[in-house]
Amino acid sequence: MKTNFSAFSLVLIIGLISLDSFGQSGSGGSYIDRPFIQEYSIVHAKSLSNPNQYSLASNQHGSVQLVEDHQLLKPFGGQFQHWGTLVKDLSYLPMADKQVQAIASYQGEFIYLDNKAVFSNAWAGSLYLEHRLPAAYIIDGGNDFDFLISDGKQVQYVNRDGKELILPAPNKIIAIEFDPVQNGFWVLSSEKLFLFDPQEKNLTEELSTPKMTSLSFHPEQNRLIVGTESGYFTYDIKAKIASELHAKLPWDEINVVEAQGDKIWFGTSKGAFVLLPNGDSHYYYLERWLPGEEVLDIAFGNGEVYLLTDQGLGTVVQTEMTLAEKAKLFDRYTKKNHLRHGFNASLKLAEPGKLETGVLDDSDNDGLWTSMYLASQGFRYAMTQDPEAMDQIRQSLLAMERLFTINPVAGFPSRSFERSGYIEKLSDPERWQHAPNPEWDWKSTTSSDEAIGHMFVYAVLAELVEDDWVKNKSIELMDTLMTHILDHDLYLIDFDGKPTQWGKWNPEYVNQFPIQVGDRKLNSSNIISMLQTAYHFTGKERFKEKAFELMEKEGYLENLMRPMSIIGQAGDGSDSYSQMLSESWNHSDDEMYFLGYWGLYKYAFNEELKANYKTAILDHWNAERPEKDGLWNIFGALVQPEKFDLNEAIWFLQEHPIDLINWNVKNSHRKDIQALEPNFRRQSISQVLSPSETRIARHNANRFNLDGNGNGRSVYSAGDIWLLPYWMGRYLKVIQ
């Protein structure tokens, strides 16, 4: 049904600020921050008892109402990330006794259709037009308080002059749409399209096409948009020509279509989507956006789009926001909800989507995720001198330090720690050990991705944060870690005296792999980066000497320079371990590479090496470009600020949802994606989808994964996912 205005001023609820900023972007250079449209959803859940009798509308005062099985309902209690419900609207006492069969918006006010009349509570209740179709349930309004209604079998024209007209419908009517340009009403059945002329008082057949379901008048194009069971087509009213069927859509079984300015919204049996003027689409499906799959009706408000489903109402809120405002939101939200002993942590939810049931979760990678968040705060402090950022740096750096001191192994960083007595309730209980302090337990088996995260953040803090304790502590910790690794022949040695499964950089281990196995290139790249970083900040020659020994005698420079095009499967003749490691591309390796590139490039021993490293980094970056990952593109600016994918980096930051609940997502059914043959890099489709349409994922995940079964049981932190690329971009001055 047609709607006009509504307003939820949710900018106030989520505590945003307004900045006067403008911007532009290009393939290199910098982006000057400007407002963009940030979307999020507010959900009101209620299973509709009779989804075949429904209608939805909003008014200019910000109210939303819907009719379902003669009941007048309104949303109640919902806000961002907290679902509400639909309740009876008891605002007007007499409405409870009305047999309301449809609701619509007319001149910004609600109008109702019951078994006796078209009426409204606006205009002092003066609008009351009786009709003679007691079962009517379809309505739309004309130019001058005139209306066309239908019970599916007949149409009746009513107006304030009392000159009613009833005509039999040649086919079962399913929709009516007023056309202000032609000053007529379009009347749709599943097989035919008619035009009702109020002046001539006749119903004229315009088009005959099977399986039509819905229509909307597009005033800017003077065309009709007609939905069908398998796509949509447009109808040029002046030329009386229908276009070909458009079926390359997120989903093609159309229930409802509504034009909104130069955008066209579609409700389908699998969610909703909007077509933008440039041909792009945005897809809204499953719980991040909607309480149900089947979208039955659409209405528009002032900055909101209301999507009625068989399981309730989803409100897509569209608010202006800058990246700086989004960062402020995420900075506060992370600090408030995602810090466990200073670690950057996820929330584990006992009930789907219910944040009040959340427990801060431990992780294999507490050190890594915290390194990435802590680095973001280092960049933030370097750019803003914000005391809140310094406070967080100190808190999280203390957590990183305690990873070393809570266990009895000198120089060995734990994966995580927690108070004693909860091992069986933590992740991977078999990896946990009792600490010398009986109040605490610690997690063993630390891996190489943890180690590179440690070295990355210590370098960022030591270089950028003007605070003696932070600098000295960061250098002390990097020295501690690298001394342990060198003292143990380039291995991380656990409590049992054995190397951990992945903490291995020794040539005997690294060079055992065929040259096409990624771990040979990755481990070589990481250890050289770590040694360079340690030497740069400590000045200890042993780190430099070991790095040159590995590059000149053990082939590590050749390993790390090996082009990405060579990396692939080990082959049938290789050992089973090499084959296991190279079945397909491991996207966690990307995270390890790029975090290591900070130290590899910035702290190169000489200019010749730096030029070689730049070649290797750009080769990897080029391989990653199809993913449009914001962090990888910002790292591209580290080595080549004049030419990197700035537009794609900003796209990632703007498009990323602010709802980080790990809801179910599904895209594999879509008709608008081009599937690729299975390949080593696991790129499933030709163009990556928007982060707003895919699962919540860290940078170590494959952004081409189309589906995800998160079940709303966890909430990820923006600390590593969003804040790191944003604040690193600010520091590198590619985001102004």
Side-chain angles (χ1 to χ4, degrees), residues 67 131 166 205 359 385 463-464 481 513 522 539 578 599:
V67 173
H131 65 76
I166 297 179
E205 182 179 326
V359 175
Q385 304 298 300
E463 180 178 346
L464 304 183
L481 174 59
F513 298 117
L522 171 63
S578 296

Side-chain angles (χ1 to χ4, degrees), residues 458-500:
Y458 300 149
V460 169
L461 298 180
E463 180 178 346
L464 304 183
V465 178
E466 295 299 329
D467 179 90
D468 288 344
W469 181 83
V470 171
K471 285 182 178 290
N472 293 336
K473 182 58 63 178
S474 298
I475 294 170
E476 174 192 330
L477 293 177
M478 72 170 70
D479 188 10
T480 298
L481 174 59
M482 293 310 296
T483 297
H484 172 98
I485 291 173
L486 258 63
D487 285 351
H488 294 92
D489 202 16
L490 298 178
Y491 290 107
L492 272 179
I493 300 299
D494 214 334
F495 72 98
D496 57 3
K498 299 177 182 179
T500 65

Side-chain angles (χ1 to χ4, degrees), residues 485-724:
I485 291 173
L486 258 63
D487 285 351
H488 294 92
D489 202 16
L490 298 178
Y491 290 107
L492 272 179
I493 300 299
D494 214 334
F495 72 98
D496 57 3
K498 299 177 182 179
T500 65
Q501 182 176 3
W502 303 110
K504 301 173 182 177
W505 301 273
N506 185 284
E508 184 176 323
Y509 172 81
V510 172
N511 287 335
Q512 70 172 316
F513 298 117
I515 61 171
Q516 68 268 35
V517 174
D519 284 54
R520 181 165 177 161
K521 174 180 171 72
L522 171 63
N523 287 31
S524 298
S525 178
N526 274 188
I527 193 61
I528 298 302
S529 170
M530 293 159 70
L531 290 166
Q532 284 187 162
T533 300
Y535 173 74
H536 178 85
F537 287 101
T538 69
K540 293 184 177 180
E541 288 295 328
R542 66 182 303 209
F543 298 132
K544 183 177 182 179
E545 291 169 359
K546 178 57 70 172
F548 274 106
E549 175 189 328
L550 293 174
M551 287 191 287
E552 294 175 351
K553 296 182 179 179
E554 303 294 347
Y556 276 36
L557 179 59
E558 181 182 355
N559 287 344
L560 73 87
M561 291 295 297
R562 191 160 289 116
M564 278 290 170
S565 59
I566 292 176
I567 304 303
Q569 294 179 334
D572 294 338
S574 303
D575 63 277
S576 59
Y577 190 58
S578 296
Q579 291 181 35
M580 181 273 292
L581 289 176
S582 62
E583 289 178 353
S584 61
W585 183 250
N586 184 342
H587 290 263
S588 287
D589 291 355
D590 292 323
E591 194 163 65
M592 296 171 64
Y593 274 115
F594 277 96
L595 295 184
Y597 290 156
W598 182 266
L600 189 68
Y601 183 74
K602 287 182 68 68
Y603 312 128
F605 292 124
N606 55 56
E607 290 303 314
E608 182 181 357
L609 282 174
K610 192 170 188 177
N612 284 331
Y613 298 154
K614 179 177 180 178
T615 298
I617 294 169
L618 291 177
D619 173 66
H620 185 190
W621 171 71
N622 270 291
E624 295 299 322
R625 292 176 74 183
E627 292 199 19
K628 298 184 182 180
D629 183 279
L631 185 55
W632 308 159
N633 281 318
I634 296 297
F635 266 106
L638 172 69
V639 299
Q640 189 172 264
E642 73 281 3
K643 186 180 180 182
F644 71 102
D645 287 343
L646 176 61
N647 289 334
E648 286 74 8
I650 300 304
W651 172 85
F652 175 91
L653 293 171
Q654 290 183 344
E655 290 279 315
H656 203 285
I658 60 174
D659 182 356
L660 301 187
I661 295 176
N662 192 17
W663 294 112
N664 292 337
V665 298
K666 189 173 182 181
N667 291 287
S668 54
H669 61 283
R670 292 173 61 160
K671 308 284 188 177
D672 62 338
I673 57 178
Q674 180 183 348
L676 301 180
E677 293 295 324
N679 54 77
F680 176 73
R681 292 194 63 83
R682 296 190 290 175
Q683 181 175 339
S684 57
I685 55 177
S686 59
Q687 296 289 331
V688 72
L689 297 174
S690 165
S692 69
E693 300 171 4
T694 54
R695 63 182 179 137
I696 300 298
R698 294 186 167 97
H699 298 285
N700 67 338
N702 180 6
R703 294 206 55 244
F704 283 96
N705 283 345
L706 298 177
D707 302 336
N709 297 316
N711 297 315
R713 291 283 188 170
S714 62
V715 189
Y716 280 28
S717 168
D720 52 291
I721 295 173
W722 197 95
L723 290 174
L724 177 55

Side-chain angles (χ1 to χ4, degrees), residues 165-378:
L165 174 69
I166 297 179
L167 296 174
N171 300 93
K172 179 176 173 57
I173 302 304
I174 57 176
I176 296 174
E177 177 87 357
F178 180 67
D179 176 347
V181 176
Q182 277 66 228
N183 192 29
F185 294 85
W186 294 98
V187 180
L188 185 72
S189 76
S190 62
E191 305 291 334
K192 295 182 183 295
L193 175 67
F194 305 92
L195 178 63
F196 175 76
D197 185 338
Q199 301 300 320
E200 299 296 329
K201 305 293 191 297
N202 59 10
L203 200 62
T204 305
E205 182 179 326
E206 291 277 328
L207 180 70
S208 178
T209 298
K211 299 182 179 179
M212 294 184 289
T213 60
S214 53
L215 82 160
S216 180
F217 175 65
H218 198 303
E220 295 191 4
Q221 298 180 0
N222 195 29
R223 294 186 179 190
L224 293 177
I225 313 298
V226 182
T228 78
E229 294 179 9
S230 55
Y232 80 94
F233 65 88
T234 63
Y235 181 67
D236 188 317
I237 296 171
K238 186 174 181 180
K240 297 184 180 297
I241 296 175
S243 73
E244 294 183 358
L245 192 67
H246 300 277
K248 193 176 180 181
L249 308 169
W251 191 243
D252 60 356
E253 190 176 0
I254 310 297
N255 292 331
V256 58
V257 55
E258 291 287 355
Q260 182 195 33
D262 56 3
K263 305 180 186 70
I264 306 171
W265 285 81
F266 296 85
T268 79
S269 59
K270 291 185 183 294
F273 64 91
V274 59
L275 293 183
L276 305 177
N278 63 3
D280 291 344
S281 67
H282 288 171
Y283 188 39
Y284 309 84
Y285 187 41
L286 298 181
E287 293 92 345
R288 182 183 298 161
W289 301 107
L290 303 170
E293 295 189 44
E294 189 97 16
V295 177
L296 307 171
D297 209 349
I298 299 173
F300 304 119
N302 184 17
E304 292 89 27
V305 179
Y306 306 106
L307 303 171
L308 179 63
T309 78
D310 57 335
Q311 298 298 318
L313 181 69
T315 301
V316 177
V317 181
Q318 301 170 321
T319 185
E320 280 198 346
M321 186 182 292
T322 62
L323 291 178
E325 291 170 338
K326 194 168 182 175
K328 185 171 184 177
L329 185 155
F330 276 148
D331 275 317
R332 289 179 174 176
Y333 194 85
T334 301
K335 193 168 184 178
K336 181 180 179 181
N337 297 295
H338 289 282
L339 296 180
R340 183 183 70 85
H341 302 314
F343 292 128
N344 176 44
S346 297
L347 281 174
K348 181 167 60 176
L349 306 184
E351 297 182 49
K354 292 192 175 183
L355 273 66
E356 64 270 25
T357 69
V359 175
L360 286 165
D361 201 16
D362 72 283
S363 165
D364 256 11
N365 296 120
D366 275 343
L368 175 59
W369 309 140
T370 305
S371 294
M372 297 173 74
Y373 169 58
L374 182 51
S376 82
Q377 299 307 289

Side-chain angles (χ1 to χ4, degrees), residues 45-66:
K46 179 185 181 298
S47 179
L48 301 188
S49 59
N50 189 350
N52 294 317
Q53 293 186 20
Y54 56 83
S55 85
L56 171 72
S58 66
N59 69 9
Q60 60 188 336
H61 311 298
S63 295
V64 182
Q65 289 183 333
L66 60 120

Side-chain angles (χ1 to χ4, degrees), residues 103-118:
I103 185 174
S105 178
Y106 185 76
Q107 296 188 7
E109 302 288 354
F110 290 128
I111 58 169
Y112 305 97
L113 174 66
D114 72 359
N115 57 339
K116 296 179 180 178
V118 176

